[in-house]
Amino acid sequence: MNLHEYQAKELFRQAGMPVNPGEVASSPDEVRALAEKYGGTVVVKAQVHSGGRGKAGGVKLADGPDEAAEHAETILGMEISGLVVEELLVSPAEKIATEAYVGVLVDREGQCPVFMVSAEGGVDIEEVAATNPDAVHKLRVDPRYGLMPHQAYWMATRLYDEPALVRQCAKVLSGLYDAFTRNGASMAEVNPLISTEDGQVKAIDAKVSIDGNELFRRPTVEALRDTASEEQGAARAREAGLSFVKLDGSVGCCVNGAGLAMATMDLVKYYGGEPANFLDIGGSSNPDKVVAALEIITADPNVKVILFNIFGGITRCDDVARGIVEAAGRIDIRVPLVIRLTGTNEELAREILADAGFEAVASMDEVVQAAVRVAA
Amino acid sequence: MNLHEYQAKELFRQAGMPVNPGEVASSPDEVRALAEKYGGTVVVKAQVHSGGRGKAGGVKLADGPDEAAEHAETILGMEISGLVVEELLVSPAEKIATEAYVGVLVDREGQCPVFMVSAEGGVDIEEVAATNPDAVHKLRVDPRYGLMPHQAYWMATRLYDEPALVRQCAKVLSGLYDAFTRNGASMAEVNPLISTEDGQVKAIDAKVSIDGNELFRRPTVEALRDTASEEQGAARAREAGLSFVKLDGSVGCCVNGAGLAMATMDLVKYYGGEPANFLDIGGSSNPDKVVAALEIITADPNVKVILFNIFGGITRCDDVARGIVEAAGRIDIRVPLVIRLTGTNEELAREILADAGFEAVASMDEVVQAAVRVAA
Amino acid sequence: MSIFADENTRVIVQGITGRDGSFHTRQMMAYGTQVVAGVTPGKGGRRFEGPDGIAVPVFDTVADAVAETGGADAAVIYVPPAFAASAIMEAADAGVGFVVCVTEGIPVLDMTRAHALARDRGCRVLGPNCPGLISPGKAKLGIIPGNIVEPGPVGLISRSGTLTYEAVHHLTRDGLGQTTCVGIGGDPLIGTSFVDCLEAFAADPDTKAVALIGEIGGTAEQEAAEWAGRHLEIPAVGFIAGRTAPPGKRMGHAGAIISGAAGTAEEKTKAFEDNGIPVARRPAEISKLVGELLGR
Amino acid sequence: MSIFADENTRVIVQGITGRDGSFHTRQMMAYGTQVVAGVTPGKGGRRFEGPDGIAVPVFDTVADAVAETGGADAAVIYVPPAFAASAIMEAADAGVGFVVCVTEGIPVLDMTRAHALARDRGCRVLGPNCPGLISPGKAKLGIIPGNIVEPGPVGLISRSGTLTYEAVHHLTRDGLGQTTCVGIGGDPLIGTSFVDCLEAFAADPDTKAVALIGEIGGTAEQEAAEWAGRHLEIPAVGFIAGRTAPPGKRMGHAGAIISGAAGTAEEKTKAFEDNGIPVARRPAEISKLVGELLGR
């Protein structure tokens, strides 16, 4: 789950990190009032879950309240990477001396948090890593010890020479690690971390992604979710415990298991069709999940056929069959279903489906070809 | 640094542990008022840094306010292990079903915290360990992981069978570990941890010792120090950064290094004298420490001679010599000094002492024999 | 032979009294797996009724289960995600040498600690978020359906669950039985990698070919391809799920996400092919390619 | 020969710019110790002026010191107690294989973590709260005065600082030089035990006798006595400080406390004597007993 910049900054503040001031506004008048309050030059920044806000015109400097309001007028409602800007963060402009990058995420290979820091901040860090890898310093954190003081200090000395800045930066890095672990983040970064002309190190941007698996035990973080900015079907899928990603094709897919779901999409494409979605009804399923899956898929007007591909393991085929039958009774499924069920309790499932007038095939190639035919 | 029961209980409460209610009083009237407030039977407990308060008559049940006040009258001012009782903890009596012991301290061998738990609580745990070792369960905590949930649970199952009590006990143990680490304790124990007739697990006693080396960074814990209950000279020694233990003999000892200080005491005894104290002026010394050491030693009326035994390493002999000269000028040293200095800057030290009219010998046996002679 | 587990493996089941745990424990026992005990905190002292009148004792802790049953070689974990990392740590701490964690949805920071402890204690973890493994005709630890496998010469390794079944199903139907089928799990942090499994299969004289079923995200397939290119003497076949997945979107599995330009199906396919591993375009093709390489 | 450090040991000093650090670093350098660099956070880039016009570079971090000076075998730590455990962890983490920590007063819970990391990284810690070691004529790491030692056949191990000097002083005066004198430290949690030192001395062909200077508290002397009884082929002499110490009182050293009936001087003396190790009653007697055992 991605957080907005202003939310991420608040988590950073709670972890004791120095963050530039700022408040959120959702109208030009509010932006004007904030610019008046701060005085001088202010920065107006679109709050959307997307990189490249600057390039897209979503970040503007304003020399006073009028200009700030004008910018707000332009940016509010703008679309950035398909997301509509509904909130702006207004901050006083800082006198920047240097810009650095600091970030922490989970390293698959090391199976631990890994910091990436670079004295070259304010730019795309992936690009820095690609063009000038020596400028990016990596440090793995042993999860048994957490970030040790000497590690934070070592990283800080990669970014600054001046001892006072090094000390401040080491604190920032410890704070960042705290914010990362205390909130169950999968990624937390500051880009840029600035030093000001008067020798202060502070974060003027913030990006945090939360590990979805942490949210059940972090209600205050879960409360930061901006459901308005989610894609169609995502909220409903989440509530029902389904994994769902909307795509542009016409073959709705309902599969158990992420790997099989991807392979099913791939096979739809292989046979000349276009998948309408990724949808994994998950491991230990119950009929309600199937109902929810059908509701989500049928809400997409592009869908011309719904393909079930179920291989029973921990999921029992009879549960899925019951779900299909129940859903067919509860909601209006206006497109054909093509069903493949095999594995645990397969026979029972076929009986349930047959009793309700559905037929199921046993082969994946067969069912995908059938679906593509129907959608064509 | 030892805490009083009521202070330890407060730390336990802060760590989320279930602790029986109670308030501190220092007069019979206050005790009467508390007994009235709680109603029913109350327990009145002497707050002194000593085990065996019960056996000494410092813990009494009272059936009402009058009896409580009577007990207070008896216990206040009582001496337990040489310590005068000045405060009482008053708590409502609990309906006890079972009594267990849980404690955590630092294990030298494992170099980690170690829990000791026993279903046989309310008695001397060292005695249980000696007479029935199988009744005491030990569990080492890997400091890299802290107390893991399964470890707390495992210990809890050693104390209780009923799942509800096990769950409560596991929480108590996690809380105890938190209280232990968060406050820089070297020992924390609950004896007894009770289960009540209505199925509640709670601490009705509490004992915590704080690692003295932690106090510099824990001002709120340092504030719990009860200087009134400290032995003579202890507070002054602590302020001056000296290690000091009062003994009963007549040969005052001022030595650098704990090992040498002990060996000096032993040698005093070996040659037929009795040491008046253990005093280590520490590693990197400065003259002020020597002055403080002399003040502390001379405050003891039993002292008939002061023996300096200094072997210079990190301590420089000249610093000690300067301290002796300065102290001789500042305070009235009414007993003879016998001095032995050798090691780093020994020559310089001898010159400084000679200039001020003091003489120093080079051998430890020599100086100790001289001191014993003077004290005899 | 087989890898990681066989008919002699003594197994403890953590979460044995839960819905999934009890269902799959019965399936494991019915398949012939030596389940010696179960663990569910608060349910110690009961007995778990398996199929055919066999019952096993239930304990409150893994340590008790290990102590009271004369030792266990492996633990299979079916506990909810909030407690699963702790369950792995409990098993590793009790000296169990092999832990299969079926649970999906464990917080990744919990897993950094659980994997660290498992390494410290010399415990191999399979998963989490994996279907476990099955050594056909010998034992199954996890949830892979027993009726789709057959003993034979193929070793199978997969990041997926049901996609594994799909592939195995074809192999079995085509007469290509398996030594062991291992589902290594779809999480970003898993205890046993493709390479670990390849090493084990390479050391198993009965395994004559290996099928590697990967998916988008991470670099585990690339490392496996490189290892196989250098060390593997038996033929291997690859498959990658997620060719049609858009970048930046998590495809169900926490580990299945293309970050920037890294972890794409193209990259992984290329790594396989560069190391002499043909890549199937459809799940059904995996078996075909294996058969060809084995000269069937 | 000597144990743990000699003239070829390349040494880094942490806290080199402090009062004690700079004083003792100059003493170490004057003794001939190969000090290659110093570390003080915030002072990187300066040079530390030793005796005889020799200067060494100062770095902000141990990692930089190791990288820029072509490696170091040992680090000696003179930093305040609040930062000393962190300094040990920094050195161990930077791959330094031997760390001598002179600092006294480090919180014991900090040390549980520092010792764990040192073990994880394969780093031997001497101390904390120790005077370090001296291999006469070769090198000194720590604060043992160089003028009281001489090369010779005796290995000395002690929990104390100045009491060590006292004992060494007598040995030297009696013509009994030393291979290495090791102060293992007076804290309850120390990185190198009596037994570790005994093992090292036992493997050193030049060490012909060992003196063990213990004190009240803990069981380290008892373990050493038992080990020596079983494995040590050269003669050993013991001494225990604290015969007159009352129980339950900490005698300066955090580790020197009699808890209940355990850790008394009597118990330790008995352990030594039961294992054939004569125990001196006065510090001056240590040298006498060593001389007798060596037939001098």
Side-chain angles (χ1 to χ4, degrees), chain B residues 108 111 144 211 213-214 216-217 231 243 256-258 260 265-267 270 278 284 311-312 314 316 340 365, chain D residues 20 23-24 82 105-108 110 119-120 143 145 162 165-166 190 242-244 249 251-253 255 282 284:
Chain B
R108 287 181 187 225
Q111 305 202 318
R144 302 173 302 173
D211 175 5
N213 293 342
E214 294 269 0
F216 75 92
R217 61 184 177 191
E231 290 181 355
S243 289
N256 71 318
L260 192 61
M265 285 160 45
D266 295 350
L267 203 61
Y270 179 89
F278 167 92
S284 175
F311 207 121
I314 206 166
R316 304 182 199 171
R340 184 267 187 134
D365 284 85
Chain D
D20 294 331
F23 176 81
H24 288 288
I106 307 177
V108 72
D110 287 8
R119 276 193 300 272
D120 279 341
I143 63 173
T162 46
Y165 315 161
E166 186 71 41
I190 52 174
R243 292 176 189 284
T244 49
K249 301 280 183 184
M251 306 307 277
H253 283 169
R282 298 177 296 123

Side-chain angles (χ1 to χ4, degrees), chain B residues 27-29 31-33 35 44 62 64-74 88:
Chain B
S27 72
D29 284 349
V31 170
R32 179 193 306 274
V44 179
D66 288 343
E67 197 181 345
E70 272 167 42
H71 288 325
E73 200 81 57
T74 319
L88 301 173

Side-chain angles (χ1 to χ4, degrees), chain A residues 204-287:
Chain A
I204 65 166
D205 199 358
K207 203 168 158 187
V208 168
S209 297
I210 304 295
D211 175 4
N213 293 343
E214 294 268 2
L215 294 169
F216 75 92
R217 60 184 177 192
R218 302 188 190 278
T220 58
V221 179
E222 169 69 52
L224 299 177
R225 186 189 296 280
D226 179 3
T227 46
S229 75
E230 283 187 299
E231 290 179 358
Q232 191 201 322
R236 179 78 180 91
R238 194 179 55 255
E239 283 155 22
L242 306 171
S243 290
F244 172 77
V245 178
K246 168 99 179 63
L247 300 169
D248 298 328
S250 58
V251 179
C253 301
C254 183
V255 189
N256 72 317
L260 191 61
M262 282 188 275
T264 304
M265 285 160 45
D266 295 350
L267 203 61
V268 167
K269 180 96 175 171
Y270 179 86
Y271 282 118
E274 288 291 341
N277 64 278
F278 166 92
L279 191 152
D280 173 11
I281 61 166
S284 176
S285 82
N286 65 50

Side-chain angles (χ1 to χ4, degrees), chain D residues 106-119:
Chain D
I106 307 177
V108 72
L109 290 176
D110 287 8
M111 283 313 304
T112 61
R113 279 166 50 84
H115 283 310
L117 186 78
R119 276 193 300 272

Side-chain angles (χ1 to χ4, degrees), chain A residues 2-121:
Chain A
N2 294 320
L3 301 187
H4 287 303
E5 177 190 355
Y6 73 91
Q7 297 171 325
K9 282 182 167 173
E10 190 49 39
L11 296 186
F12 287 176
R13 283 190 197 100
Q14 287 165 11
M17 290 167 67
V19 176
N20 72 329
E23 279 171 73
V24 174
S26 50
S27 73
D29 283 350
E30 283 173 49
V31 169
R32 180 194 305 276
L34 287 172
E36 265 163 16
K37 177 179 149 188
Y38 290 130
T41 310
V42 297
V43 191
V44 180
K45 299 169 90 175
Q47 299 295 290
V48 284
H49 295 145
S50 165
R53 289 175 301 169
K55 283 183 195 157
V59 179
K60 298 271 187 201
L61 275 174
D63 254 341
D66 290 342
E67 197 181 346
E70 273 166 45
H71 288 325
E73 199 81 57
T74 317
I75 303 172
L76 283 168
M78 181 187 272
E79 231 182 67
I80 300 178
S81 311
L83 298 162
V84 177
V85 180
E86 295 185 346
E87 290 179 314
L88 300 172
L89 178 61
V90 183
S91 299
E94 297 282 341
K95 293 203 168 129
I96 298 173
T98 66
E99 295 188 317
Y101 170 92
V102 299
V104 56
L105 47 84
V106 174
D107 183 32
R108 287 182 186 225
E109 205 191 328
Q111 305 201 316
C112 62
V114 61
F115 273 88
M116 311 262 276
V117 304
S118 176
E120 297 185 18

Side-chain angles (χ1 to χ4, degrees), chain C residues 1-5 134-136 138 150-157 171 176-182 194 196-212 227 231-237 290 293-294 296:
Chain C
M1 262 174 62
S2 54
I3 68 168
F4 301 152
I134 187 162
S135 294
K138 295 173 177 169
E150 278 296 335
V154 182
L156 188 140
I157 317 165
L171 286 167
L176 296 161
Q178 305 87 37
T179 47
T180 302
C181 303
V182 190
F194 276 114
D196 294 331
C197 297
L198 278 178
E199 285 179 357
F201 278 128
D204 172 27
D206 291 345
T207 302
K208 309 294 187 197
V210 177
L212 296 148
W227 191 91
H231 306 288
L232 194 69
E233 293 177 0
I234 53 175
V237 168
V290 171
L293 289 171
L294 285 177
R296 305 262 174 118

Side-chain angles (χ1 to χ4, degrees), chain C residues 19 25 32 43 60 90 95 134 152 217 224:
Chain C
R19 183 185 190 266
T25 302
K43 304 263 169 93
D60 280 323
E90 180 177 7
I134 187 162

